[in-house]
Amino acid sequence: MSVTVNRPEVISPPTAEGFCQALMGQTIDTMTRRGKFLSVLLNSGDYFVLHLRMTGCLLLTPADYPAEKHTHIVFYLSSGDELRFSDTRRFGRFWLFRKGESDTYSGMDKLGLEPFDTGLTAGYLQQHFGKRKKAVKECLLDQSVIAGIGNIYSDEILFAAKIHPARPANSLSKTVWERLAAAVPERLAYFIEKNALTPEEYLESKGQDYRNTPFLQVYGRGGEPCPNCGAILCRMTVGGRSCVYCPKCQCEV
């Protein structure tokens, strides 16, 4: 493998030059995920971590495939294919670590439980959020407690659990915490299944396939009828993030 970095600022640490030199001739062994981070493990024991942030995208392409306008890193693989990282807003980041080196930069070590962890119970959520005055929508986005939930699926989870997004976390009863704990893995499992793509479909859509849109119940559907009761879905801002909810199904604030 060899690497070209077109935007040095997406590498931190080391320098872009050090990143390219360290990866020269190495082989990718496997990839793992933790929250919204990807770890790429190399056969030498070295590894690099990446976070796509808001607009980052990875594409595995043939060498002659037209490059996206904002392609910042290209990994040239021994197969002749290329692994390309593009990012319109350039918020995405890569961190390289040598064999035995701990990741003290990316923040991945500060993540909470995975959404499918059996420890993610009503008791766990109540223990971490139950005394907070923050809106439950904000709490769901706290990566130090639950890793990987973003703006889209926090809306979907709260709708399934029948919880108003602005409701203070310290006002939730045990029964409501139980509904929320059940909705987190159920909704994410549902959308993982619905969003499944073949490698060919992913490449054809250039990594920007939004076929999950027909399956979303509330996110992005403000002003439309609620799929459950028919009431008009409302938009609001909670903690600086936009959200959509049903004023009838999620009426308790």
Side-chain angles (χ1 to χ4, degrees), residues 82-93:
E82 297 177 1
L83 181 63
R84 301 172 181 173
F85 171 71
S86 61
D87 187 1
T88 304
R89 302 185 70 174
R90 299 200 299 275
F91 291 159
R93 286 294 180 271

Side-chain angles (χ1 to χ4, degrees), residues 128-130 132-143 145-146 167-170 177 180:
H128 287 82
F129 297 141
R132 297 191 187 183
K133 296 180 180 180
K134 277 189 174 182
V136 65
K137 161 86 173 183
E138 291 183 81
C139 291
L140 279 181
L141 300 176
D142 185 342
Q143 303 296 302
V145 179
I146 313 174
R167 184 172 174 179
N170 63 2
W177 284 118
L180 182 58

Side-chain angles (χ1 to χ4, degrees), residues 21-242:
Q21 290 176 349
L23 295 186
M24 178 67 69
Q26 297 229 42
T27 301
I28 294 175
D29 186 28
T30 189
M31 298 177 70
T32 62
R33 180 198 60 79
R34 179 78 170 93
K36 299 179 183 181
F37 293 86
L38 291 175
S39 294
V40 181
L41 312 179
L42 307 172
N43 64 339
S44 66
D46 297 345
Y47 64 102
F48 62 89
V49 175
L50 64 132
H51 196 303
L52 300 176
R53 302 282 167 82
M54 295 181 67
T55 58
C57 177
L58 283 175
L59 277 182
L60 180 64
T61 74
D64 60 353
Y65 193 81
E68 293 299 290
K69 181 179 180 181
H70 300 282
T71 298
H72 305 319
I73 303 178
V74 180
F75 299 86
Y76 303 94
L77 308 180
S78 59
S79 64
D81 291 332
E82 297 177 1
L83 181 63
R84 301 172 181 173
F85 171 71
S86 61
D87 187 1
T88 304
R89 302 185 70 174
R90 299 200 299 275
F91 291 159
R93 286 294 180 271
F94 284 67
W95 301 267
L96 173 68
F97 305 97
R98 308 313 294 260
K99 182 178 180 179
E101 185 180 358
S102 297
D103 175 2
T104 58
Y105 289 92
S106 71
M108 188 164 56
D109 60 326
K110 297 179 175 61
L111 295 176
L113 292 182
E114 290 287 323
F116 298 106
D117 194 302
T118 56
L120 188 66
T121 63
Y124 174 84
L125 295 177
Q126 190 168 14
Q127 176 187 352
H128 287 82
F129 297 141
K131 295 182 180 180
R132 297 191 187 183
K133 296 180 180 180
K134 277 189 174 182
V136 65
K137 161 86 173 183
E138 291 183 81
C139 291
L140 279 181
L141 300 176
D142 185 342
Q143 303 296 302
S144 70
V145 179
I146 313 174
I149 296 178
N151 202 40
I152 293 175
Y153 298 117
S154 62
D155 277 9
E156 297 296 316
I157 289 166
L158 291 171
F159 177 70
K162 301 183 185 302
I163 304 171
H164 192 286
R167 184 172 174 179
N170 63 2
S171 72
L172 272 60
S173 67
K174 180 181 178 181
T175 300
V176 177
W177 284 118
E178 289 172 348
R179 290 207 310 262
L180 182 58
V184 170
E186 187 279 327
R187 285 291 80 191
L188 292 181
Y190 172 83
F191 286 109
I192 287 172
E193 178 185 356
K194 292 299 183 183
N195 292 343
L197 296 171
T198 66
E200 292 77 18
E201 288 172 329
Y202 186 78
L203 179 59
E204 183 180 357
S205 68
K206 299 181 179 179
Q208 303 297 325
D209 194 296
Y210 296 111
R211 292 194 310 168
N212 62 347
T213 301
F215 304 105
L216 293 172
Q217 301 292 291
V218 290
Y219 180 84
R221 297 189 179 280
E224 298 181 19
C226 170
N228 286 348
C229 70
I232 299 302
L233 298 174
C234 299
R235 293 188 183 92
M236 68 183 305
T237 300
V238 176
R241 306 298 297 273
S242 64

